[in-house]
Amino acid sequence: MALLFGAIPGGPELLIVLLVGILFLLVPIGLAYWVYQDATGRGNDRATLWAIGVVIAGLVAPLVGAVAVLALYVLVGRT
């Protein structure tokens, strides 16, 4: 019997979607962890706020937002 609508999705396509989704979650969380550890080590009172900012920006604008807040932290927050 011939398939009417082509191949059934869920093989390699689903794997790619899951890997990209995990990447877009792990990168902001990893950057937030680094920012928190660095800010805590430097005695910054706002370490938690910087880390939350990285995660939120990473979820709103994946990768670009997290990297932008990371750059802002490096330029402003490390002083």
Side-chain angles (χ1 to χ4, degrees):
M1 179 178 226
L3 292 174
L4 296 176
F5 300 108
I8 299 173
E13 297 90 2
L14 184 60
L15 180 64
I16 291 170
V17 168
L18 287 175
L19 289 177
V20 169
I22 289 171
L23 175 74
F24 280 123
L25 287 176
L26 287 182
V27 169
I29 291 172
L31 289 175
Y33 177 76
W34 179 82
V35 166
Y36 180 78
Q37 292 298 321
D38 186 65
T40 306
R42 293 177 182 272
N44 192 334
D45 295 334
R46 296 185 176 100
T48 306
L49 293 176
W50 280 109
I52 291 171
V54 170
V55 170
I56 290 174
L59 294 176
V60 171
L63 295 181
V64 176
V67 172
V69 174
L70 176 67
L72 186 65
Y73 167 72
V74 169
L75 293 174
V76 175
R78 293 182 100 186
T79 58

